[in-house]
Amino acid sequence: MNAHQSQTSPTSKHDDNNKNTVNVWPDKVQTISYTSTFDDTQQCMLFYEAKMTNDNNPVDNNEHWNDSNHNDDGLKKASENHTMSQKRPLLVALHTWSSTYKQTANGSQTAYARWCINVNWHFIHPNFRGPNWTYDACGSDAAIQDIHDAISYVKSHCSVDEDRVYGVGVSGGAHMGLLLAGKMPNVWAGLSVWAPIVDLSVWWAQRVNGVRGARRYATHIEKVVGGQPNIDNDFVCSGTTIETENITRKNKKGIIENEQEEKEKLGEYSKERVMEECRRRSPITHLKNAINIVNIDINAGVHDGRTHGGAVPFTHALHAYNALMPSSEDQLGHDFINQFYETQSPSLAIRSDDGSHLKSANKETKTKLSNPANDEMYGNKPIIFQRESNYVRVTVFRGGHEIIHNAALNWLAAQRRGRPAIWNPREICYWMDG
């Protein structure tokens, strides 16, 4: 370790109504700092280094599992039949839209670290400039470079299997995950993204007159890009009511610490500049760079985007899938996507569509419409729609704005860089209760 590493464990605040220890970062996870090459600043992240065996070889706990043994966290222990590997996988876990590297999310974020400790993977939880309401955050060049440098730091200090570098995130973390797919396609063995935001201008339009509380995301985007995006966009999908007059704004207290400084940094942006900021920070712009390179598993709950289901319509996930298809013949039809959102039923949408979502795939991508089947990794959240190609899959399940850790982490464990995705791993590598 270098002089920048802290030897202290990250601090976590407990919710008075939640005393569960899963809401606290494990003691083995440390806070460290490293240098961002973007601006030579020190950036923080949470870090866990995989353990070494007595003979200086790490234990590979990814192949064989004893289904009858569990540890105190409710997680299955590895079987005694370990395989040996000199290098360990690295999991890059990404915080959500309004959070930082310290986020616990009632155990949703700490679950990644508990997985890595139990399967003996390296783990990082970077800050990438914090909440997405400042110019330097929200998919900026600085935020992207921070993650690149965080990965480089671990590679330079630990023994990392570079064919098994994985990324995972939900909501704002999924937004960053898909940006990383397009910006750094040659790094990843797999990216598992849940409830992603793929176009900032579209999401602004969906949120600016959204349900109370969700409007704040529109304000965040305006702070980032310097104004209100142009909503004349054919990607604006069902569920979006656009009324630019008399928009009610929430109290801005706490949005940014120094609003005047932020305004000076942003300046008075033209509409063109605002839209350019939206485009360069939106995954939809860059995903073409990941086509047939990165294994990406895209997931969304069918209730997301509704009043009680979440803030990100699941149509974003379907458009992300389309952006990763090498041919329009493999894409889902826009009418189908909108009808699916309106009806929350793919079968009803199929009957109302022109059939373009069922166009036969070319031999190269082998795209197909999967027959949704019960997947034990999704637990009590049944799959209602799924489509896959060699490198990309999109799944809509019966749920809301959430991640299913079993499905995300077990899928990642089976992926290798430079190889087509394995969609149905033969073995369950790991199980996390709850």
Side-chain angles (χ1 to χ4, degrees):
M1 301 299 174
N2 66 15
H4 297 305
Q5 177 164 341
S6 167
Q7 298 300 320
T8 60
S9 296
T11 58
S12 303
K13 291 184 179 180
H14 281 281
D15 188 312
D16 290 339
N17 296 320
N18 185 0
K19 303 299 183 182
N20 196 330
T21 57
V22 301
N23 195 37
V24 179
W25 288 102
D27 291 339
K28 295 178 181 179
V29 175
Q30 302 295 312
T31 300
I32 68 170
S33 62
Y34 63 95
T35 302
S36 171
T37 59
F38 180 82
D39 54 7
D40 201 34
T41 58
Q42 290 299 300
Q43 297 296 321
C44 291
M45 67 178 175
L46 300 184
F47 170 69
Y48 170 77
E49 182 176 1
K51 300 300 182 181
M52 305 293 286
T53 61
N54 291 335
D55 61 357
N56 206 37
N57 285 316
V59 176
D60 188 341
N61 290 343
N62 299 295
E63 302 298 334
H64 305 285
W65 298 91
N66 184 335
D67 291 349
S68 63
N69 293 330
H70 292 75
N71 64 15
D72 292 337
D73 288 330
L75 310 174
K76 287 187 178 179
K77 296 179 180 178
S79 79
E80 298 301 323
N81 299 319
H82 301 310
T83 59
M84 304 304 296
S85 173
Q86 183 61 32
K87 298 181 178 181
R88 304 304 306 139
L90 167 63
L91 180 66
V92 181
L94 304 165
H95 67 70
T96 61
W97 182 270
S98 302
S99 297
T100 71
Y101 73 99
K102 294 182 180 181
Q103 180 188 27
T104 60
N106 292 324
S108 181
Q109 295 296 112
T110 63
Y112 305 132
R114 292 184 288 122
W115 162 281
C116 289
I117 291 169
N118 278 271
V119 300
N120 201 33
W121 288 7
H122 304 299
F123 165 79
I124 58 173
H125 195 246
N127 194 47
F128 51 101
R129 308 289 163 138
N132 286 341
W133 54 57
T134 68
Y135 181 84
D136 285 340
C138 197
S140 70
D141 292 342
I144 297 290
Q145 189 62 44
D146 286 356
I147 295 175
H148 183 278
D149 291 335
I151 294 171
S152 296
Y153 176 92
V154 179
K155 288 180 178 179
S156 67
H157 288 79
C158 306
S159 182
V160 175
D161 184 346
E162 296 195 20
D163 289 329
R164 299 189 69 191
V165 177
Y166 305 119
V168 63
V170 60
S171 189
H175 165 259
M176 176 54 79
L178 289 177
L179 276 172
L180 293 171
K183 292 279 195 172
M184 299 163 46
N186 295 314
V187 169
W188 309 101
L191 286 159
S192 181
V193 294
W194 297 70
I197 300 133
V198 300
D199 189 314
L200 291 184
S201 63
V202 169
W203 198 42
W204 176 86
Q206 292 165 335
R207 295 276 60 87
V208 72
N209 284 297
V211 296
R212 182 173 179 82
R215 291 175 183 168
R216 68 182 182 274
Y217 299 118
T219 302
H220 294 171
I221 292 170
E222 291 170 20
K223 296 292 184 183
V224 169
V225 303
Q228 295 183 9
N230 180 356
I231 55 180
D232 184 17
N233 187 329
D234 62 6
F235 176 15
V236 174
C237 56
S238 294
T240 303
T241 301
I242 301 171
E243 298 175 3
T244 57
E245 300 297 328
N246 301 319
I247 295 173
T248 301
R249 298 296 181 199
K250 287 178 64 67
N251 191 324
K252 298 178 182 177
K253 181 179 180 181
I255 296 298
I256 52 176
E257 294 182 2
N258 191 331
E259 184 169 284
Q260 184 59 40
E261 179 180 337
E262 196 71 12
K263 286 181 178 179
E264 290 174 0
K265 179 183 289 187
L266 290 172
E268 294 296 327
Y269 280 9
S270 65
K271 279 291 185 182
E272 291 76 16
R273 178 66 184 275
V274 168
M275 288 307 298
E276 178 57 29
E277 287 292 332
C278 285
R279 280 190 289 270
R280 73 184 187 91
R281 296 167 186 267
S282 295
I284 202 77
T285 305
H286 309 285
L287 284 175
K288 61 181 180 293
N289 300 325
I291 292 173
N292 289 345
I293 298 175
V294 187
N295 295 325
I296 305 178
D297 195 23
I298 308 166
N299 294 264
V302 72
H303 302 305
D304 206 351
R306 307 284 172 167
T307 301
H308 301 293
V312 183
F314 70 84
T315 48
H316 282 258
L318 302 179
H319 284 290
Y321 177 85
N322 278 354
L324 287 160
M325 291 296 99
S327 168
S328 61
E329 294 294 311
D330 301 316
Q331 295 178 346
L332 301 165
H334 280 219
D335 288 343
F336 168 76
I337 291 174
N338 290 339
Q339 287 296 319
F340 187 3
Y341 183 80
E342 288 298 321
T343 64
Q344 296 187 287
S345 168
S347 61
L348 292 177
I350 286 170
R351 287 197 291 270
S352 65
D353 189 45
D354 62 5
S356 60
H357 65 290
L358 292 175
K359 290 179 180 178
S360 59
N362 60 46
K363 294 181 180 179
E364 180 182 355
T365 59
K366 297 181 181 178
T367 307
K368 65 177 182 179
L369 180 65
S370 299
N371 182 23
N374 291 329
D375 186 332
E376 61 183 88
M377 288 293 92
Y378 283 76
N380 63 353
K381 307 283 186 176
I383 295 170
I384 65 172
F385 176 82
Q386 194 171 71
R387 195 174 184 186
E388 67 188 48
S389 73
N390 280 350
Y391 292 89
V392 185
R393 180 174 68 179
V394 64
T395 302
V396 180
F397 59 92
R398 188 71 63 188
H401 193 75
E402 59 191 302
I403 182 172
I404 302 172
H405 294 89
N406 285 335
L409 296 169
N410 278 284
W411 177 79
L412 285 173
Q415 312 310 313
R416 301 295 185 273
R417 185 177 61 166
R419 304 181 194 175
I422 297 174
W423 297 121
N424 299 295
R426 287 177 295 178
E427 295 186 28
I428 296 172
C429 300
Y430 194 68
W431 186 269
M432 184 177 299
D433 290 342

